[in-house]
Amino acid sequence: MLSRLTLSILCENRVVNPDLMAEQGLSILVTTSEGKLLFDTGQTGTLLHNASQMNINLKKVKKVVLSHGHFDMSGGLHYLLQEVTPLEVYCHPNLFSKKYKVREDNEWVEIGVPWEKAELEGMGAKFILKTHPKEIMKDVWISGEIPRLTGYEYIDETYQERVLESFIHDQLHDDLALIINTVKGLVILLGCGHSGPMNTIKHAMRITGNSKVHAVVGGMHLHRAPEDKIDQIIYHLVQLNPDYVIPLHCCGFRFINQLYNLLTQRVLLYNVGDSFTLD
């Protein structure tokens, strides 16, 4: 189990420091005694600007984990490869499937990876495609596909995938999490948490055999969720008694507000430039 860990927020929807930039997206630099990796890359080159302002040398990064194939998690990889190469990129085989969102006006908007796989490979990306859990650094795992076992964590049917000339409901099987096994418990990173935070946490426990949750960090895609879904997730999350929850990106005010009322100081509202350290 790791005894030292730092998570640095390079890209996130919120910012306070005027020298840093925010955008819809997420990118977290994970630093352990074994090395550095990036969890997601945001949607543009914002992570490069912020890393420079934070005096972080991204050239020491050798691995990237992409949580799923939406533009706000994967778009920054193109810009990162202009500065840092080669890179091992861990992701699900469905990352590059054609993904769409049906808006309220019934317009279909493409929301998938904005770059072709061959172009990124030509820039120095080596894609390592995984559907099962894999330890990619000591005590650092990618989840592989996350079983959907709860009835209340479901994928909105406005998410669609194009297969040949047809559109089908995108169940986002490419949704992955990063699982870090530490002496204080599990630290679990979610991109948007489309599989559901509870499904993800339980899967992390099965992979590691560790039932203690130190921190849940990242997006949980609840900003437009119905109240009953938010209530169920909060109820079950509180039962796990995590030391910390760091809601980012797409968690939404309603979820954060209700969770803070229950866990108070254990809910950390982080912005671009903030860091979480275990030492």
Side-chain angles (χ1 to χ4, degrees), residues 1-271:
M1 297 181 182
L2 295 177
S3 58
R4 298 181 65 185
L5 170 70
T6 300
L7 306 178
S8 303
I9 311 300
L10 298 185
C11 182
E12 152 60 14
N13 296 36
R14 300 183 300 265
V15 70
V16 174
N17 186 331
D19 294 327
L20 302 176
M21 297 169 58
E23 70 176 10
Q24 179 190 330
L26 187 66
S27 182
I28 300 174
L29 178 68
V30 179
T31 304
T32 79
S33 56
E34 302 295 314
K36 299 177 182 289
L37 67 84
L38 268 180
F39 181 68
D40 285 328
T41 63
Q43 61 172 294
T44 69
T46 295
L47 81 165
L48 297 175
H49 169 84
N50 290 338
S52 175
Q53 292 294 316
M54 294 164 64
N55 295 315
I56 290 173
N57 182 7
L58 291 179
K59 293 188 183 297
K60 294 183 178 180
V61 173
K62 304 301 179 186
K63 301 176 190 289
V64 174
V65 175
L66 293 180
S67 64
H68 61 294
H70 285 161
F71 69 97
D72 50 350
M73 303 290 128
S74 62
L77 180 60
H78 181 277
Y79 302 91
L80 180 64
L81 286 166
Q82 293 175 358
E83 303 289 335
V84 184
T85 187
L87 284 172
E88 293 181 353
V89 182
Y90 292 85
C91 59
H92 188 278
N94 284 6
L95 184 87
F96 287 95
S97 62
K98 298 300 181 182
K99 297 176 177 295
Y100 293 81
K101 183 80 185 294
V102 184
R103 299 196 318 196
E104 293 180 0
D105 58 3
N106 289 322
E107 182 179 351
W108 296 67
V109 179
E110 189 168 359
I111 59 171
V113 180
W115 313 101
E116 295 296 327
K117 181 170 181 275
E119 179 182 1
L120 296 172
E121 287 175 327
M123 298 178 69
K126 178 185 178 183
F127 289 97
I128 301 172
L129 309 178
K130 295 293 179 182
T131 58
H132 291 81
K134 179 175 176 57
E135 190 175 20
I136 62 173
M137 289 169 47
K138 179 176 170 52
D139 291 311
V140 178
W141 293 75
I142 54 171
S143 65
E145 287 189 18
I146 299 167
R148 316 294 172 82
L149 302 179
T150 66
Y152 53 87
E153 294 177 302
Y154 48 84
I155 306 292
D156 192 325
E157 290 198 14
T158 58
Y159 286 97
Q160 297 282 305
E161 180 181 0
R162 192 179 76 202
V163 179
L164 299 177
E165 298 303 317
S166 300
F167 288 90
I168 62 173
H169 183 198
D170 186 359
Q171 295 285 350
L172 289 163
H173 293 296
D174 56 320
D175 181 62
L176 306 178
L178 192 72
I179 303 159
I180 307 169
N181 202 8
T182 83
V183 293
K184 291 188 177 181
L186 297 177
V187 176
I188 303 164
L189 276 62
L190 306 90
C192 285
H194 287 291
S195 301
M198 293 309 304
N199 282 329
T200 304
I201 295 167
K202 294 289 189 179
H203 186 51
M205 291 177 174
R206 290 190 293 269
I207 291 169
T208 61
N210 189 349
S211 60
K212 169 60 181 173
V213 179
H214 182 52
V216 181
V217 184
M220 302 183 202
H221 203 69
L222 296 170
H223 57 303
R224 294 182 180 175
E227 293 295 338
D228 60 337
K229 183 176 182 178
I230 293 174
D231 291 345
Q232 287 268 34
I233 289 172
I234 288 177
Y235 171 80
H236 288 94
L237 182 57
V238 169
Q239 298 306 304
L240 291 179
N241 196 31
D243 294 331
Y244 298 102
V245 179
I246 303 177
L248 299 168
H249 181 46
C250 54
C251 287
F253 174 78
R254 289 176 299 142
F255 169 77
I256 296 172
N257 179 53
Q258 291 178 46
L259 192 66
Y260 182 81
N261 287 336
L262 295 169
L263 298 181
T264 61
Q265 301 303 317
R266 286 187 280 166
V267 177
L268 307 178
L269 193 63
Y270 276 17
N271 303 298

